[in-house]
């Protein structure tokens, strides 16, 4: 008897599935679809996923020359029925090879030939009763582990709290002082009660609960500090009390220890936290525990949307407008959009929370597809901050800041309060120029100026990472008069330190806070509340609750106003509102100062007069008038190569073929805004359709064919459906 034939999706950028004969070393799983198998591929072997089985060869396939798969890794699909179906949908929507989509969904440890049984999430608890014999001496690593285990902890948390604890854990377990238990079997702890909900919060929670077990998307449209998290928590508690699982997505920068602690304390059950700092094994363990229905609350960043949830009752997406929900390479899915698709497939409510809804989400509200729940005021004692525009045209700047702005910063800091100074540009100055001949430093590999990093004595390219020593004289005319033009965070830090020598000035950008733990430690310290001036990039704009922060300064709103991207205005408005939302979250009132040379700009005027809601209404009307997304479906075909002709050949052919598809228009090839990066020329096409299905159909039949073109081999190309950045 010949073994059945398996159709297998492999994690390779190819559009076909591959046929193999089933392994004979072990019996076939009862339902092999979705199971992982090891197969020979090229000269090595790969882990693939079975997408179809042909038991008797009725399909008339030719078995001669087919290779045999080596081994089964699973006895049942790890994906579960709903995720499996949704991934097929996602593959067709974002137009990406199925094998890569299936592999992306798996945690890294399971993309290898590892059986799922070998992966377990552990937790530790103090043994009770503790054995006789001497207890570890106070202050030792062992004593600190025991102290941390006054409540049982998952392994990853214990490692966070007691760095280096792995060295003594084994000993403690062997000595009978500590018990090792499966992570999601930890006993429940009493949940800490939160503040009583205010009427708007109560109404929102009731609406979510009233959706029962049915699919309904909600937009929780609540100003910053309005208590959205309290609404999530109440809805989550309701869902887990009914025995359901809940998935909570947060932006990359929002998954702070404080946020994790809040969910843990308030829910009182073990939470599976999925973030990039986890070891592969821990991540896989949490994913598997969710797939078995054991982990009842999954909290994570973008890729957590790819977690199986057999007992789902609710999905929450916090800060739904956040760009980190869109994957920017490989399988370019949007976790926010996928959350809605999964909620529909699972038949559960989904809550998209934000103070600044994306225009896509607002269009869905207006079309009646999403139900809006409003939290119009801040919760607790905090009031809305006062926002003022500072017109730079009429004032002489002192070191990048208007005198009134300098005074305000000094005043707030000297009162013992915290000040946030936002500038979306790291480094000392965006340009180094020659005073005599006009030369300025440019990257040799990109079409862009190099940023001066004075502390390091370097010029750095922020696009390709190239760095070179700071020149002493102009390479063009030998003049020694080289001037730093403009202000980056490093320079502002210097300026503010000189202005306020008695106050700590802390810079927060990728240069000062390379690791997430450094970033978290900084905020831990600021939460304590002492006076400080924070200078930083958009890392500062998100989610932090610093009650003593009373002044926020936006150093330069003009860069955002000038953006060539049609989403530029939306992004700037969101940023301004989010930065403003950092000020005045405690009892003291907040103030926001926005520096600009365009105080009459309609965006700023509407935003100040009518808030984000007014801005968004206008912006949405403009999008509709110009048939821009979300009133049209867009995709981008991007290509890069050393030489222009290769790009032109590929994009030219792509344009000509895509144009033939019904309902499709194509713009381009257009040079990218950064037309050369790291030595590669870059260009793109914009593919548009009034009808989303027309777009998916056209791209779905085009991409596999284009993949085989000889022109495709001479460029690096990618397809991006619903692109966030279109320049
Ligand atoms: P958001 O997520 O909307 O920015 P949070 O849920 O973080 O807001 O709440 C902001 C602050 O207000 C937190 O300190 C929170 O404890 C507090 N808060 C939330 N709801 C209430 C309430 N009903 N009564 C009193 N304080 C509240
Ligand atoms: Zn010169
Ligand atoms: Zn460069």
């Amino acid at each position: 008897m010949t073994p059945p034939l398996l159709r297998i999706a492999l994690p390779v950028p190819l559009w076909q599935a591959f046929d193999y004969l089933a392994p004979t070393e072990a019996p076939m799983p009862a339902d092999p679809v979705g199971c992982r198998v090891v197969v020979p591929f090229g000269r090595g072997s790969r882990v693939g996923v079975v997408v179809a089985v042909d038991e008797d060869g009725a399909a008339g396939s030719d078995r001669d020359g087919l290779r045999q798969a080596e081994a089964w890794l699973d006895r049942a699909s790890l994906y579960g029925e709903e995720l499996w179906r949704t991934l097929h949908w996602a593959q067709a929507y974002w137009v990406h090879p199925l094998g890569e989509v299936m592999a992306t969904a798996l945690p890294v440890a399971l993309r290898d030939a590892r059986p799922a049984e070998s992966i377990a999430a552990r937790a530790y608890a103090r043994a009770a009763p503790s054995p006789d014999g001497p207890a570890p001496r106070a202050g030792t690593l062992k004593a600190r582990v025991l102290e941390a285990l006054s409540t049982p902890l998952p392994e990853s948390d214990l490692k966070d709290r007691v760095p280096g604890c792995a060295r003594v854990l084994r000993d403690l377990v062997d000595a009978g002082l500590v018990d090792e238990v499966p992570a999601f079997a930890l006993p429940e702890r009493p949940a800490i009660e939160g503040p009583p909900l205010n009427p708007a919060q109560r109404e929102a929670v009731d609406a979510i609960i009233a959706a029962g077990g049915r699919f309904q998307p909600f937009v929780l449209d609540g100003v910053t500090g309005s208590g959205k998290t309290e609404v999530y928590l109440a809805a989550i508690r309701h869902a887990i009390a009914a025995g359901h699982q809940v998935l909570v997505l947060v932006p990359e920068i929002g998954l702070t220890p404080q946020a994790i602690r809040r969910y843990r304390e308030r829910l009182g059950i073990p939470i599976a936290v999925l973030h990039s700092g986890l070891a592969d094994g821990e991540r896989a363990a949490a994913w598997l525990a969710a797939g078995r229905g054991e982990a009842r609350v999954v909290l994570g960043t973008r890729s957590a949307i790819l977690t199986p949830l057999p007992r789902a009752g609710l999905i929450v997406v916090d800060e739904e407008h956040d760009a980190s929900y869109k994957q920017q390479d490989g399988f370019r899915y949007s976790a926010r959009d996928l959350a809605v698709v999964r909620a529909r497939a699972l038949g559960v409510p989904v809550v998209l929370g934000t103070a600044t809804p994306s225009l896509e989400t607002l269009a869905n509200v207006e079309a009646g597809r999403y139900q809006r729940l409003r939290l119009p005021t801040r919760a607790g004692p905090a009031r809305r901050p006062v926002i003022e525009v500072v017109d730079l045209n009429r004032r002489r700047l002192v070191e990048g800041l208007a005198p009134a702005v300098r005074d305000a910063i000094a005043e707030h800091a000297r009162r013992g309060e915290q000040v946030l100074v936002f500038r979306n540009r790291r480094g000392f100055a965006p340009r180094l120029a020659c005073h005599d001949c006009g030369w300025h430093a440019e990257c040799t590999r990109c079409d862009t100026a190099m940023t001066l990093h004075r502390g390091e004595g370097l010029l750095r390219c922020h696009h390709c990472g190239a760095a070179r020593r700071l020149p002493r004289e102009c390479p063009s005319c030998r003049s020694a008069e080289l001037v730093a033009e403009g202000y980056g965070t490093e320079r502002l830090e210097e300026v503010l330190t000189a202005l306020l020598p008695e106050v700590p000035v802390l810079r927060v950008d990728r240069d000062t806070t390379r690791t997430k733990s450094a970033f978290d430690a900084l905020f831990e310290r600021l939460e304590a509340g002492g006076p400080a001036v924070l200078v930083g990039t958009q890392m500062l704009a998100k989610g932090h609750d610093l009650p003593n922060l009373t002044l926020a300064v936006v150093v330069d709103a003009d860069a955002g106003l000038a953006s060539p991207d049609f989403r530029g205005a939306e992004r700037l408005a969101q940023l301004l509102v989010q930065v403003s939302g950092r000020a005045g979250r405690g009892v003291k009132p907040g103030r926001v100062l926005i520096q600009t040379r365009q105080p009459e700009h309609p965006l700023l005027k509407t935003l100040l007069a009518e808030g984000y809601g007014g801005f968004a209404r206008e912006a949405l009307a403009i999008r509709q008038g110009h048939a821009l997304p979300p009133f049209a479906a867009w995709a981008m075909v991007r290509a890069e190569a050393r030489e222009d002709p290769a790009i032109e050949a590929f994009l030219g052919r792509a344009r000509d073929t895509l144009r033939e598809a019904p309902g499709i228009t194509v713009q381009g090839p257009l040079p990218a805004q950064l037309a050369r990066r790291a030595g590669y020329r870059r260009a793109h096409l914009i593919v548009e359709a009034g009808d989303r299905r027309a777009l998916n159909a056209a791209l779905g039949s085009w991409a596999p064919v284009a993949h085989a073109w000889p022109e495709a081999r001479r460029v690096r190309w990618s397809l991006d459906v619903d692109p966030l950045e279109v320049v």
Side-chain angles (χ1 to χ4, degrees), residues 342-367:
R342 289 201 69 190
R344 186 171 50 207
L346 291 160
V348 304
V350 55
V351 180
L352 310 177
T354 175
T356 52
S358 64
L359 296 189
E360 280 75 10
T361 292
L362 284 177
N364 279 318
V365 170
E366 298 205 338

Side-chain angles (χ1 to χ4, degrees), residues 434 437 474 477:
C434 171
C437 78
C474 173
C477 76

